[in-house]
Amino acid sequence: MKKHIVGNVSWIGYLDWELKHFHGEDYTIEHGSSQNAYLVQEEKTVLIDTVWIPHRFDFIENLEAEIDLSSIDYIVAHHGECDHSGALAALMERIPNVPIYCTANAVKSLEGQYGKRNWNFHIVKSGDTLDVGNGKQLIFIEMPMMHWPDSLASFLTGDNVLFSMDAFGQHFAVEELFNDRANQPLLHYEALKYYVNILNPYAQNVKRKLAELDKLQLPIAYIAPSHGVVWRDNPLQIVADYALWSDAYQEDMVCVCYATMWNGTKMLAHAIADEIARVSPQTNVVVHNIETDDKNDVMVDVFRSKALALGSPTVVNDILSGASGWLTFLKSLKFKNKRAAAFGCYGWSGEGTQILQERLRDAGFTVSDNALRVNWNPQESDYAEIPAFVADLLEIDTTTPLQEQEKPTMQKYVCDVCGFIYDPELGDPDGGIEPGTTFEDIPEDWVCPVCGVGKDMFSLYEE
């Protein structure tokens, strides 16, 4: 059943109440989700996106109950990921000649997943338009790395609907569809959780794309993302939230996270939290066992925090495997402007805290040299070290470290978005950059050969 949004625009997606995990097991879903597809029925009928592969036949049956499939004039594929394109192959068997409007990267994605089926692709770029009749157009806006290189948005003039793809979405099932009909605190949390765990790795790109949208001065009345609610009540509130979140966001909050074997490190975590609350009562403190608490929820708290205290015991000359995997995920989220300190118990060798410090630095945190390293279970003398440990954590200078010094002329640079490393010795011959060209000498219009972002999205690579 389609749901009316405005004018001749309807939702025709799938409410997935039973979905519990997403992106494999990497994202936990607690309140259902939706795969949003939309119909625009003006003089031309446009289908915007589809649904996940397991629901493809339900989707097509529902779609066919609403319209004659042969009446579809155009399909817009904003993103090739299978939760949005999963019904496309089955649908195209029914209407094989319908043109599909998408980015060049989406063609690669769709053909890579479903094979080269000679679909009628029409490649679009930012500023391209598609007339849908009755004086209305779809204006296309490329949205690379929000959150895939192939991402695209479109704006329907007249009804002023921004179909924003993954941007501004949530994994949140709302039968009533609209943001003003949802549980407001829960909606805000799910939008934040979605941003932190899916879009924050591309925060710099988000900032840049928000600035581009602002310059377009689109009269946005509705924001229709690919997951979750349609924003109709003050729709720009979520845009304002993204502007805050993408700008090295933090609150007066400290997150104490730990993994533990026999509760020694757990005892340290609780004592550290107590000391933070004692010396800085205005600061919110949260404590998480990272091996038992949901990692996506924990990451929301780390994102909100100005500092992280992380603990693990030493195990086989390393840290607990749960802590190691958690740190891998933490690094992938690319948090900025946050402090950290390490703590943990050990019985014999005691490398754990040093490994934590190294991994936290590798994840982009400013890490205190003052680790709390306790032999066996903590004793009174160990607890006596906690005030200094906390004071050091809370008083670390939060200004950007002075890193803009003389750079070696052949220094490597890494793409903040996709991780591609530019090596001056190799250059980028396919992009017209000869071997031996320093990063500073690359033309300003050069783009990353992997994801297509500009030079301003690269940082100095430290080996």
Side-chain angles (χ1 to χ4, degrees):
M1 180 180 71
K2 68 180 183 181
K3 298 180 181 182
H4 180 252
I5 296 175
V6 62
N8 294 316
V9 180
S10 303
W11 177 92
I12 193 74
Y14 186 89
L15 275 176
D16 205 337
W17 293 102
E18 290 74 34
L19 190 64
K20 298 301 179 185
H21 293 93
F22 198 74
H23 286 165
E25 299 291 313
D26 243 10
Y27 193 107
T28 302
I29 294 175
E30 298 174 352
H31 302 100
S33 186
S34 65
Q35 296 117 47
N36 296 339
Y38 302 96
L39 268 178
V40 177
Q41 295 174 279
E42 299 292 347
E43 293 178 84
K44 300 293 186 179
T45 296
V46 185
L47 173 64
I48 297 179
D49 300 314
T50 67
V51 300
W52 191 26
I53 292 173
H55 312 307
R56 63 193 185 280
F57 297 125
D58 290 333
F59 172 77
I60 293 174
E61 181 181 353
N62 185 28
L63 182 63
E64 200 164 19
E66 299 291 346
I67 62 170
D68 182 345
L69 296 185
S70 65
S71 71
I72 297 175
D73 295 290
Y74 312 120
I75 295 173
V76 174
H78 281 133
H79 177 29
E81 197 169 7
C82 63
D83 54 320
H84 310 298
S85 66
L88 192 56
L91 182 61
M92 293 304 289
E93 290 179 0
R94 303 283 301 277
I95 47 173
N97 298 317
V98 172
I100 300 172
Y101 289 76
C102 63
T103 64
N105 275 328
V107 174
K108 297 176 184 178
S109 171
L110 292 169
E111 290 187 338
Q113 293 175 87
Y114 307 115
K116 295 185 177 182
R117 303 184 180 213
N118 295 315
W119 289 342
N120 184 13
F121 289 114
H122 288 240
I123 294 173
V124 296
K125 297 181 178 180
S126 289
D128 290 347
T129 61
L130 177 64
D131 288 326
V132 298
N134 295 322
K136 300 177 183 180
Q137 291 183 322
L138 281 171
I139 302 173
F140 295 109
I141 307 161
E142 293 173 278
M143 304 280 276
M145 302 318 299
M146 291 181 68
H147 64 118
W148 271 22
D150 66 355
S151 295
L152 178 72
S154 59
F155 180 77
L156 178 64
T157 63
D159 294 308
N160 299 329
V161 182
L162 177 65
F163 300 101
S164 61
M165 186 29 57
D166 283 319
F168 314 128
Q170 332 84 47
H171 283 301
F172 187 27
V174 177
E175 182 70 49
E176 298 79 12
L177 185 61
F178 297 105
N179 68 306
D180 51 294
R181 298 295 307 278
N183 178 305
Q184 295 303 299
L186 192 54
L187 171 59
H188 182 270
Y189 180 79
E190 291 296 344
L192 174 60
K193 176 181 173 181
Y194 187 94
Y195 174 84
V196 170
N197 287 276
I198 293 179
L199 285 164
N200 191 73
Y202 317 108
Q204 293 303 309
N205 206 46
V206 171
K207 288 175 66 176
R208 186 166 65 175
K209 186 53 64 175
L210 291 179
E212 289 179 15
L213 285 173
D214 185 60
K215 288 181 181 178
L216 291 174
Q217 291 293 295
L218 300 173
I220 298 171
Y222 298 82
I223 295 178
S226 60
H227 299 289
V229 302
V230 171
W231 301 87
R232 68 175 179 184
D233 179 37
N234 184 20
L236 294 182
Q237 64 181 286
I238 188 61
V239 179
D241 285 338
Y242 268 48
L244 286 174
W245 297 339
S246 63
D247 193 20
Y249 183 82
Q250 62 173 231
E251 301 171 15
D252 189 3
M253 178 172 169
V254 177
C255 200
V256 182
C257 295
Y258 71 92
T260 194
M261 283 184 68
W262 304 115
N263 289 334
T265 303
K266 174 184 175 180
M267 290 188 284
L268 289 177
H270 284 248
I272 291 167
D274 289 344
E275 176 64 12
I276 295 170
R278 185 186 71 81
V279 300
S280 185
Q282 77 281 1
T283 299
N284 292 324
V285 185
V286 292
V287 179
H288 287 291
N289 181 330
I290 58 177
E291 293 191 299
T292 60
D293 293 355
D294 181 80
K295 71 177 180 183
N296 304 116
D297 292 327
V298 176
M299 291 305 177
V300 171
D301 281 342
V302 176
F303 174 78
R304 294 174 58 204
S305 296
K306 63 182 181 182
L308 166 67
L310 180 62
S312 170
T314 299
V315 184
V316 196
N317 307 113
D318 210 320
I319 56 178
L320 281 170
S321 61
S324 183
W326 187 86
L327 276 160
T328 297
F329 188 57
L330 177 71
K331 178 184 176 181
S332 75
L333 298 184
K334 299 183 180 179
F335 294 153
K336 303 292 184 185
N337 192 32
K338 298 189 186 297
R339 316 169 213 172
F343 64 94
C345 297
Y346 70 99
W348 305 107
S349 56
E351 301 96 329
T353 52
Q354 182 180 349
I355 291 170
L356 288 175
Q357 288 175 314
E358 292 169 353
R359 295 284 299 275
L360 285 165
R361 290 190 184 99
D362 191 42
F365 287 72
T366 301
V367 181
S368 170
D369 292 329
N370 183 14
L372 184 59
R373 182 171 176 267
V374 173
N375 192 209
W376 302 109
N377 279 331
Q379 306 298 318
E380 185 175 347
S381 59
D382 301 309
Y383 288 119
E385 296 180 17
I386 290 178
F389 173 86
V390 168
D392 197 15
L393 174 65
L394 297 182
E395 293 176 1
I396 290 176
D397 184 9
T398 59
T399 59
T400 304
L402 184 59
Q403 297 171 335
E404 300 303 320
Q405 300 178 11
E406 289 294 319
K407 301 178 178 64
T409 57
M410 298 300 284
Q411 181 65 50
K412 298 176 183 177
Y413 279 74
V414 61
C415 178
D416 293 332
V417 174
C418 71
F420 167 77
I421 297 172
Y422 176 79
D423 185 343
E425 293 184 3
L426 301 177
D428 177 26
D430 290 340
I433 308 301
E434 295 295 327
T437 304
T438 65
F439 187 82
E440 292 83 354
D441 291 335
I442 296 175
E444 292 303 315
D445 60 355
W446 177 81
V447 297
C448 174
V450 175
C451 69
V453 299
K455 280 182 66 178
D456 59 327
M457 299 298 290
F458 278 69
S459 301
L460 185 66
Y461 178 67
E462 297 180 359
E463 297 183 87

